[in-house]
DNA sequence: TATATAGTACTTCGTATGTAGTGGTTGCAA
DNA sequence: TTGCAACCACTACATACGAAGTACTATATA
């Protein structure tokens, strides 16, 4: 069993791409090899089994979930008024469209979680932590609304993203920018 | 090619179960045969290819999406006040937990839609129609709120359902009944 | 009796997998 | 500096698994 950490990471990243593009059905060692541009058989040398590979993907994908350092800093420095909310949400939305494959892979993993307790535990922990961080941040920022405000935002935006990624035609009459405005109006009522 | 319509429907239903329980990876003719309790090779006789099978599943699954006749009637007769909203939403939620496999299969199909234009078209049309029906019904009922109210509900409840089906631990502190109340309070402000 | 479908069994095919074997590189010690 | 040892990249192969489809038989119904 080989242990080159960079190569291992590259293989996991390649597996995420494969998951998003070909679905769980297409996730094979050979497909990962091809995606990573390494010789056939390499993934066999780095993961004991397909399950092992999926577990490592679940552990690794959370780094693609959260905002990057730059984005966190921008949010930190933004004015703490309701007017800032649309900008934050728009930034989130842009990140999603950038990380399209990452979010699709995460959806595949969620479905995998219904079948594999190990994946369920890993993802639950990672996503809970992300949500809690958002709630804490929001409460500490002094912006209007309580923890359920953040949860409602999480719910709405999550499905807005799914709809956009999978069946963009469904909400053609209700584009994301519009729905973000609607949500802002609902959650942050005028004084 | 055999044409027994009941058997064909049974096979499609079985395919939905397989999709939900084993994922897209497990959807093979043989698995469908086993799930439907028919001899091996039967699915081969009813569908020209795996693609064909998936297409027919996409066309058929919309009958599991909407409320059944009984539920529609109950909604029709319910008092048209804001107080009725939680009851309607609770009914929806109960249907979802009943039709667990159907909703999981639909999620699988959504991911399949990112790869198959045919599936994308079929699902987009069916889900658009469902949403439009909900919007029309809501507007005609004279309940408070406009079309975006319904869309926000659709977004929030959809992800609430996904979270519950895939990673129920994430929102352990925010159970569905509570979030339904929160949403009601947001969307239907007191007079 | 004829036709269509149910059911059985077999053959073929594709492809994933894991490993054995080879070559090259790096690090360490003499 | 040179030689050796360990490790990893890479190639190629042999195996195995399971899906698919089809040919064949049985059965029921019109």
């Amino acid at each position: 069993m080989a242990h080159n950490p960079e190569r291992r990471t590259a293989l996991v990243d390649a597996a995420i791409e494969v998951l998003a593009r070909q679905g769980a059905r297409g996730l094979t060692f050979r497909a990962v090899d091809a995606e990573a541009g390494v010789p056939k058989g390499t993934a066999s040398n780095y993961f004991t089994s397909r399950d092992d590979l999926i577990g490592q993907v679940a552990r690794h994908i959370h780094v693609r979930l959260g905002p990057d350092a730059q984005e966190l800093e921008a949010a930190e420095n933004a004015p703490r008024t309701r007017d800032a909310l649309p900008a934050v949400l728009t930034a989130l939305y842009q990140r999603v469209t950038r990380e399209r494959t990452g979010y699709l892979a995460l959806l595949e993993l969620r479905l995998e979680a219904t079948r594999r307790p190990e994946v369920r535990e890993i993802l639950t922990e990672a996503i809970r932590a992300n949500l809690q961080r958002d709630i804490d941040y929001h409460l500490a920022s002094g912006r209007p609304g309580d923890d359920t405000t953040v949860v409602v935002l999480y719910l709405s935006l999550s499905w807005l993203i799914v709809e956009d990624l999978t069946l963009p035609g469904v909400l053609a009459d209700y584009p994301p920018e519009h729905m973000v405005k609607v949500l802002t109006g609902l959650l942050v009522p005028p004084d």
Side-chain angles (χ1 to χ4, degrees), chain A:
Chain A
M1 171 94 48
H3 282 98
N4 183 335
E6 286 148 35
R7 194 159 252 234
R8 180 173 293 270
T9 304
L11 287 169
V12 172
D13 277 327
I16 291 173
E17 289 299 310
V18 172
L19 261 184
R21 286 220 286 268
Q22 315 198 48
R25 184 159 216 260
L27 186 67
T28 66
F29 283 173
R30 284 299 188 271
V32 172
D33 291 337
E35 176 69 33
V38 298
K40 298 172 183 176
T42 302
S44 283
N45 291 330
Y46 276 83
F47 307 98
T48 59
S49 66
R50 191 170 173 273
D51 288 20
D52 179 30
L53 171 61
I54 290 177
Q56 298 204 26
V57 167
R59 260 180 290 272
H60 184 257
I61 202 169
H62 82 274
V63 308
R64 293 213 192 180
L65 293 183
D68 54 26
Q70 191 190 355
E71 199 173 335
L72 275 177
E73 195 191 329
E76 194 69 38
N77 297 332
R80 307 202 159 183
T81 68
R82 85 176 50 81
D83 297 340
L85 192 53
V88 171
L89 299 183
T90 303
L92 161 75
Y93 214 81
Q94 283 169 352
R95 179 172 82 239
V96 171
T97 50
R98 259 202 327 274
E99 289 280 359
R100 175 184 169 84
T101 54
Y103 278 83
L104 284 173
L106 184 59
L107 273 179
E108 295 277 359
L109 284 179
R110 275 182 174 266
L111 290 171
E112 204 64 26
T114 65
R115 297 179 281 273
R116 294 177 198 273
E118 182 208 357
V119 173
R120 180 157 64 239
E121 283 171 29
I122 296 170
L123 287 188
T124 297
E125 210 33 61
I127 293 172
R128 260 188 85 106
N130 271 340
L131 179 60
Q132 194 59 52
R133 189 205 56 210
D134 288 348
I135 290 173
D136 292 344
Y137 175 74
H138 183 267
L139 294 181
S141 78
R143 295 202 176 97
D146 60 9
D147 57 342
T148 59
T149 306
V150 180
V151 174
V152 170
L153 264 180
Y154 166 72
L155 295 176
S156 312
L157 292 179
S158 294
W159 192 256
L160 207 52
I161 289 164
V162 169
E163 204 69 79
D164 192 48
L165 290 178
T166 61
L167 301 174
V170 170
L171 293 184
D173 296 341
Y174 303 90
E177 317 84 51
H178 181 222
M179 290 315 297
V180 163
K181 284 208 193 81
V182 169
L183 281 167
T184 308
L186 273 176
L187 294 170
V188 188
D191 298 306

